[in-house]
C-alpha cells in the first residue's frame, strides 16, 4: 500500500517554429514551474517536468514511456506557445494514463511597457491551449481541465484534487479483493458484473472458501494474538470481561490478514450467512483491519469493499476518516430530519470522535457467539457518502454531500458504532434523489474526500456520476438520469 512513489509528468507543448532560444526558455520555465508546484503542500505528489513537445514522434514516444512507467500516475499538459495539435493525435490516442490539461501562463501579468512581438510569440498559451482543447474534445478524450495561474492556491488545490483521483485510479488498476463466501442471498444491489469491473476498474474479484480461513485461523500462533491484543489495548478501551471473545477476534483478524497478504489483496468481503466453522462474525477484526487501510464490504458487497480501499488510498495523508457505512434508520422530526448510519459491527474506527470501546454483545442474526466489536460515536463535520452501482451494462458512481453531527442523544442500548448526519440538500429531497439514481444502502463515507475528487475519479474511469448536493433539484436530476440512459443506449 505504498503510494509515495507516484509522480505526475508535466509536458509543455510548443513547436520548432520559434527557434532554439525560445525552446530553451520554455525548457527552463517548465522545470521551474514543476519544481515550484511540487513544493506546494496542496499537491500530494510531485510534478516532474518531462519535456517540451515539438513533434508527433516525440509525443508518442513520451506517451509510450508514461504508459510503461508504473510510477507515473498521470500526465499534465500545458501549451506555452502555439503547438499545432495534429502532432498530438498519435500520442493522445495511445495514452492510457489519467490526463489533465492545465491552461495557464508563465507570467501572471502583461508587462505593458515592455511587451513586443517576441514576448507575444513566447507567451501565447491563450491560443495554444485553445488548439489543444479542440483536439482533445475532437478525440473525446476523458480529461480534467484546470484554468488559472499556476501559483494560485485554488488552482493548485484543483490539481491536487485531481491527483488524488488519478492515484485512486492507479491503485484501482492493481486492486485484488478476497471474497469469503458469496453475496447475501436474494440481495440485488450487492450483485454486479465482476468481469466488467475488472475491464473498467482493474479489480480482481475472486472467492475463497470460509474453510480456508478457518484452517488459517487454527494455525495462528498464540504470541501473535498476544501482540495484537496489546496493540488493541493501546488504541482502544477494553470495556468487557469477555477476553475470550476479544482473543477470538484478534485471531481471526490475523488469519484474514495473512490470507490478504498471501493474495496481495487490499479488500475483502464476508457474510453472516456463510460462517461455517467460525464462532463469531468478524467485528473488531474487520474494524481494526479497516483502520489499517483495508477495504471491507458486508454481506458480500465487493463493490463497496473495493471502493472503500480506493477511497482510503485517495485520502492518504488527509485528516478525517474513510470507511464502509450503511444507512440504517431515520429521525423524521419535521424540519429536522436526520439519518443514523451504522452496520451490524464493521464500522471503521477512523470515524471515531473519542477512543473506541471494545465490547461484546449478542448479534441477533447469524446464530453465532456474541462478537467483540468497537463501539463509538462518529465525529461531526462535512463528509460525503458514495455508492457504486451496476446499472446493467454500465456502472454509476453516486456521491452525496452530508453534514455529520455530534450525537443528538445517548443511545445506551445500541451496541454498535454509529454516525448521525444531515443529508444534502435535506434528508427527504436527498433521499428522493438517492432513490431516483439507484444508490445502495451500503456506501463509503469519507470526511477526508470531496465530491470533486469523486467526480474526477468517475471521469478517469469513464463511468456515470451523480452528485447530490445543496444545489440538487429533482427535476434537473431526472433530466440528467434520462440523458445518461439515452447516452448509454446510443452506445456511449
Ligand atoms: Mn449491510
Amino acid at each position: 500500500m505504498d503510494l509515495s512513489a507516484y509522480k505526475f509528468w508535466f509536458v509543455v507543448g510548443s513547436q520548432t517554429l520559434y527557434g532554439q532560444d525560445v525552446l530553451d526558455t520554455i525548457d527552463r520555465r517548465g522545470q521551474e514551474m514543476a519544481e515550484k508546484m511540487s513544493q506546494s503542500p496542496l499537491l500530494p505528489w510531485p510534478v516532474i517536468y518531462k519535456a517540451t513537445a515539438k513533434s508527433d514522434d516525440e509525443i508518442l514516444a513520451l506517451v509510450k514511456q508514461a504508459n510503461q512507467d508504473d510510477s507515473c500516475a498521470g500526465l499534465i499538459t500545458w501549451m506555452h506557445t502555439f503547438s499545432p495539435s495534429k502532432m498530438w493525435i498519435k500520442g493522445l490516442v495511445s495514452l492510457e494514463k489519467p490526463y489533465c490539461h492545465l491552461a495557464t501562463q508563465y507570467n501572471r501579468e502583461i508587462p505593458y511597457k515592455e511587451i513586443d512581438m517576441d514576448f507575444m510569440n513566447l507567451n501565447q498559451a491563450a491560443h495554444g491551449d485553445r488548439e489543444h482543447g479542440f483536439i482533445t474534445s475532437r478525440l473525446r478524450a476523458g480529461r480534467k481541465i484546470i484554468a488559472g495561474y499556476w501559483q494560485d492556491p485554488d488552482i493548485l488545490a484543483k490539481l491536487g484534487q485531481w491527483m488524488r483521483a488519478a492515484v485512486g485510479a492507479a491503485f484501482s488498476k492493481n486492486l485484488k479483493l478476497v471474497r469469503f463466501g458469496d453475496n447475501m442471498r436474494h440481495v440485488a444491489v450487492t450483485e454486479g458484473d465482476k468481469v466488467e469491473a475488472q475491464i473498467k476498474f482493474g479489480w480482481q474479484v475472486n472467492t475463497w472458501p470460509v474453510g480456508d480461513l478457518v484452517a488459517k485461523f487454527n494455525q495462528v500462533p498464540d504470541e501473535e494474538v498476544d501482540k495484537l491484543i496489546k496493540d488493541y489495548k493501546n488504541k482502544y478501551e477494553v470495556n468487557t470481561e469477555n477476553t475470550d471473545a476479544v482473543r477470538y477476534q484478534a485471531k481471526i483478524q490475523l488469519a484474514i490478514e495473512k490470507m490478504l497478504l498471501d493474495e496481495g489483496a487490499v479488500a475483502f468481503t464476508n457474510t453472516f450467512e456463510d460462517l461455517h466453522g467460525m464462532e463469531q462474525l468478524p467485528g473488531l477484526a474487520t474494524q481494526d483491519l479497516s483502520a489499517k487501510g483495508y477495504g471491507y464490504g458486508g454481506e458480500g458487497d465487493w463493490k463497496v469493499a473495493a471502493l472503500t480501499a480506493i477511497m482510503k488510498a485517495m485520502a492518504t495523508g488527509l485528516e478525517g476518516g474513510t470507511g464502509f457505512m450503511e444507512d440504517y434508520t431515520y429521525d423524521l422530526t419535521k424540519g429536522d430530519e436526520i439519518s443514523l448510519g451504522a452496520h451490524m459491527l464493521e464500522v471503521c474506527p477512523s470515524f471515531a470522535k473519542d477512543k473506541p470501546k471494545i465490547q461484546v454483545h449478542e448479534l441477533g442474526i447469524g446464530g453465532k457467539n456474541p462478537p467483540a466489536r468497537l463501539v463509538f460515536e462518529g465525529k461531526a463535520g462535512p463528509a460525503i457518502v458514495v455508492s457504486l452501482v451496476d446499472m446493467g451494462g454500465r456502472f454509476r458512481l453516486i456521491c452525496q454531500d452530508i453534514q455529520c453531527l455530534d450525537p443528538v442523544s445517548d443511545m445506551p442500548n445500541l451496541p454498535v458504532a454509529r454516525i448521525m448526519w444531515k443529508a444534502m440538500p435535506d434528508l427527504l429531497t436527498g433521499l428522493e434523489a438517492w432513490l431516483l439514481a439507484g444508490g445502495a444502502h451500503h456506501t463509503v463515507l469519507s470526511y477526508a474526500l470531496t465530491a470533486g475528487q469523486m467526480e474526477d475519479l468517475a471521469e478517469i474511469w469513464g463511468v456515470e456520476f451523480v452528485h447530490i448536493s445543496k444545489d440538487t433539484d429533482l427535476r434537473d436530476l431526472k433530466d440528467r438520469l434520462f440523458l445518461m440512459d439515452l447516452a448509454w443506449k446510443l452506445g456511449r
Side-chain angles (χ1 to χ4, degrees):
M1 293 187 206
D2 179 25
L3 305 174
S4 61
Y6 284 117
K7 293 172 180 65
F8 288 80
W9 290 16
F10 187 41
V11 180
V12 182
S14 187
Q15 58 177 319
T16 52
L17 183 70
Y18 313 105
Q20 196 55 42
D21 281 357
V22 164
L23 291 173
D24 289 347
T25 304
I26 295 171
D27 215 44
R28 219 168 38 240
R29 288 179 173 183
Q31 191 80 42
E32 180 198 337
M33 289 165 76
E35 279 168 17
K36 274 196 182 151
M37 287 193 283
S38 298
Q39 283 163 14
S40 167
L42 295 165
L43 297 195
W45 287 277
V47 177
I48 308 296
Y49 169 70
K50 272 289 165 183
T52 297
K54 302 173 292 289
S55 72
D56 53 359
D57 287 341
E58 204 175 25
I59 296 166
L60 179 63
L62 202 92
V63 164
K64 282 182 178 167
Q65 213 187 325
N67 289 344
Q68 288 287 313
D69 189 331
D70 288 339
S71 72
C72 172
L75 215 64
I76 302 164
T77 58
W78 164 55
M79 304 304 115
H80 195 304
T81 67
F82 198 74
S83 180
S85 279
K86 283 185 185 172
M87 76 183 190
W88 285 82
I89 294 173
K90 228 198 245 180
L92 287 174
V93 295
S94 306
L95 183 63
E96 293 162 8
K97 298 280 170 152
Y99 160 46
C100 173
H101 179 188
L102 178 64
T104 190
Q105 188 167 273
Y106 177 74
N107 53 300
R108 184 191 291 275
E109 287 145 16
I110 296 173
Y112 292 104
K113 301 300 174 208
E114 287 92 43
I115 189 166
D116 56 14
M117 274 323 287
D118 285 344
F119 181 93
M120 295 281 271
N121 283 332
L122 177 61
N123 301 284
Q124 48 180 316
H127 68 286
D129 277 326
R130 279 171 165 76
E131 168 77 353
H132 198 62
F134 166 73
I135 202 63
T136 41
S137 286
R138 171 69 201 268
L139 291 169
R140 274 89 180 162
R143 81 278 197 200
K144 175 76 175 177
I145 299 174
I146 301 173
Y149 191 58
W150 57 281
Q151 295 190 39
D152 282 346
D154 56 333
I155 298 309
L156 291 166
K158 279 186 193 172
L159 191 58
Q161 165 189 306
W162 171 79
M163 282 181 166
R164 289 192 181 275
V167 164
F171 181 85
S172 172
K173 255 189 184 165
N174 301 308
L175 187 145
K176 290 183 187 169
L177 185 147
V178 168
R179 304 168 73 220
F180 294 112
D182 205 332
N183 300 53
M184 181 180 168
R185 286 186 282 275
H186 311 299
V187 178
V189 78
T190 58
E191 293 286 354
D193 184 338
K194 300 188 206 75
V195 176
E196 188 61 27
Q198 187 160 352
I199 294 168
K200 204 93 203 161
F201 311 125
W203 306 346
Q204 295 184 45
V205 181
N206 291 303
T207 189
W208 273 262
V210 178
D212 283 10
L213 180 59
V214 174
K216 202 64 132 185
F217 174 90
N218 289 326
Q219 293 162 9
V220 173
D222 279 345
E223 312 82 74
E224 287 186 30
V225 179
D226 295 340
K227 205 169 151 237
L228 184 54
I229 299 271
K230 206 177 266 177
D231 186 37
Y232 286 165
K233 284 177 179 164
N234 285 333
K235 291 190 285 189
Y236 313 125
E237 185 187 326
V238 181
N239 195 211
T240 177
E241 310 274 274
N242 190 344
T243 50
D244 285 351
V246 178
R247 243 191 125 70
Y248 186 89
Q249 291 285 335
K251 205 167 166 181
I252 202 75
Q253 174 174 343
L254 290 162
I256 294 171
E257 190 164 25
K258 278 176 203 289
M259 285 192 68
L260 296 178
L261 289 171
D262 284 352
E263 300 305 328
V266 293
F268 70 104
T269 67
N270 56 15
T271 167
F272 67 91
E273 285 179 339
D274 190 354
L275 297 174
H276 193 79
M278 291 173 66
E279 290 166 24
Q280 301 177 21
L281 177 65
L284 171 58
T286 299
Q287 291 175 296
D288 198 55
L289 286 170
S290 182
K292 289 176 80 172
Y294 289 101
Y296 173 76
E299 293 89 53
D301 191 341
W302 50 271
K303 295 195 297 303
V304 84
L307 190 62
T308 303
I310 291 164
M311 288 176 64
K312 279 175 177 286
M314 286 169 69
T316 297
L318 294 175
E319 295 286 315
T322 298
F324 171 61
M325 184 44 62
E326 179 171 88
D327 289 78
Y328 234 109
T329 196
Y330 303 127
D331 179 341
L332 292 178
T333 301
K334 196 90 186 152
D336 200 19
E337 294 89 350
I338 50 180
S339 289
L340 171 58
H343 205 256
M344 289 188 298
L345 300 172
E346 309 91 341
V347 181
C348 182
S350 66
F351 297 146
K353 182 180 158 65
D354 303 306
K355 200 172 190 178
K357 294 185 171 84
I358 299 176
Q359 296 183 356
V360 179
H361 301 276
E362 283 287 343
L363 190 57
I365 48 175
K368 296 285 172 178
N369 290 346
R373 80 286 304 271
L374 296 169
V375 179
F376 55 85
E377 304 274 3
K379 288 177 273 204
I384 52 172
V385 281
V386 186
S387 169
L388 180 71
V389 290
D390 183 337
M391 296 303 289
R394 86 272 199 204
F395 291 97
R396 176 178 290 165
L397 193 67
I398 303 158
C399 176
Q400 182 168 39
D401 297 334
I402 62 171
Q403 180 68 33
C404 297
L405 308 169
D406 279 321
V408 295
S409 169
D410 58 341
M411 291 173 264
N413 297 315
L414 186 66
V416 291
R418 62 268 184 165
I419 307 180
M420 305 208 67
W421 66 80
K422 273 184 192 294
M424 298 294 145
D426 58 79
L427 189 146
L428 299 180
T429 312
L431 174 59
E432 288 180 18
W434 190 269
L435 299 180
L436 273 170
H441 57 288
H442 286 162
T443 58
V444 185
L445 187 148
S446 179
Y447 293 91
L449 299 175
T450 62
Q453 281 145 350
M454 301 317 297
E455 184 171 4
D456 287 351
L457 180 65
E459 178 74 43
I460 292 167
W461 275 345
V463 300
E464 296 180 0
F465 182 71
V466 175
H467 181 203
I468 304 169
S469 71
K470 64 177 176 36
D471 301 320
T472 287
D473 174 87
L474 289 173
R475 174 49 45 211
D476 289 349
L477 178 63
K478 279 183 191 167
D479 289 347
R480 186 178 165 79
L481 294 171
F482 172 74
L483 288 174
M484 281 179 176
D485 256 335
L486 199 61
W488 174 68
K489 280 176 185 143
L490 289 169
R492 195 181 129 173

